Amino acid sequence: MKKLVICRHAKSSWEDPRLNDRVRPLSKRGLNDALMMANRMQTNHVFPEKILSSKALRAKMTAEFYLATFEKMNVEYEESEALYMASAQEHLVEIKKTSNKIDTLFIFGHNPGMTELINYLGEPLENLPTAAYMGFKFEVNSWENINATNARFWMYDFPKNPSPKTS
């Protein structure tokens, strides 16, 4: 079984409007939300074997909170330029490159592509909020075989959520 957790970066800062979009850092709220969501994931006993992040600073900063939370687990970490503002199909291309030794993959990126990916996998969602994540399980042995027909909803959580949803 393969497990995929789709994580949107936390709230970014707009304090300096001159900054290129790729180098915008997290806001104070984003820093707090990223830490809170990583801790919730750990509390729910969901652990990544690999984290794949967009190279945009806000996505990397969000992913780093998860890396710190799971630091004793020797989580693999990789950055991909292809995840920056990627479509659902571009996300799938990157996900399918994952080694089959990895069973649980977390990806960090941006909307609208992350919401598109979630909808493609069969969960109707208007917008994946900042710092939110949604997980899917796939009854397959290879990442190359994941698709909408074998995706099953696993979990969904976001910072203002009073009761996270899991299956």
Side-chain angles (χ1 to χ4, degrees):
M1 175 183 297
K2 301 299 180 194
K3 299 174 187 172
L4 173 66
V5 180
I6 300 164
C7 308
R8 183 172 174 201
H9 65 77
K11 186 78 173 161
S12 59
S13 173
W14 289 90
E15 284 185 25
D16 186 349
R18 297 169 298 168
L19 284 179
N20 177 291
D21 186 60
R22 292 176 188 261
V23 295
R24 279 190 293 114
L26 295 180
S27 66
K28 182 176 180 182
R29 178 179 134 200
L31 294 167
N32 291 333
D33 285 352
L35 176 60
M36 175 180 64
M37 297 305 288
N39 286 334
R40 278 193 201 174
M41 188 74 75
Q42 183 181 46
T43 299
N44 290 326
H45 305 287
V46 178
F47 309 109
E49 292 173 79
K50 181 175 181 175
I51 290 176
L52 177 62
S53 177
S54 160
K55 286 191 173 188
L57 182 59
R58 61 193 180 276
K60 292 191 307 186
M61 289 177 73
T62 305
E64 286 170 1
F65 279 96
Y66 285 75
L67 284 168
T69 300
F70 299 108
E71 71 180 328
K72 294 181 180 173
M73 299 186 67
N74 296 319
V75 176
E76 285 185 36
Y77 178 72
E78 182 181 346
E79 294 174 5
S80 171
E81 188 64 46
L83 291 180
Y84 177 72
M85 304 307 283
S87 68
Q89 292 306 314
E90 291 167 326
H91 278 100
L92 284 170
V93 167
E94 292 304 300
I95 292 164
K96 290 180 178 196
K97 293 178 184 177
T98 303
S99 166
N100 290 324
K101 293 184 287 184
I102 302 296
D103 289 324
T104 306
L105 173 67
F106 289 20
I107 61 168
F108 289 80
H110 316 270
N111 264 349
M114 299 216 114
T115 298
E116 290 171 7
L117 178 60
I118 288 165
N119 281 277
Y120 166 78
L121 292 173
E123 279 300 308
L125 185 69
E126 188 174 317
N127 178 53
L128 184 65
T130 54
Y133 53 76
M134 185 174 286
F136 292 88
K137 293 180 179 180
F138 304 86
E139 292 289 339
V140 297
N141 293 321
S142 171
W143 287 102
E144 289 184 13
N145 295 331
I146 70 165
N147 59 51
T149 60
N150 56 32
R152 286 193 350 256
F153 172 82
W154 178 22
M155 65 179 156
Y156 175 52
D157 197 7
F158 54 94
K160 294 180 181 179
N161 189 5
S163 56
K165 182 177 162 187
T166 60
S167 68

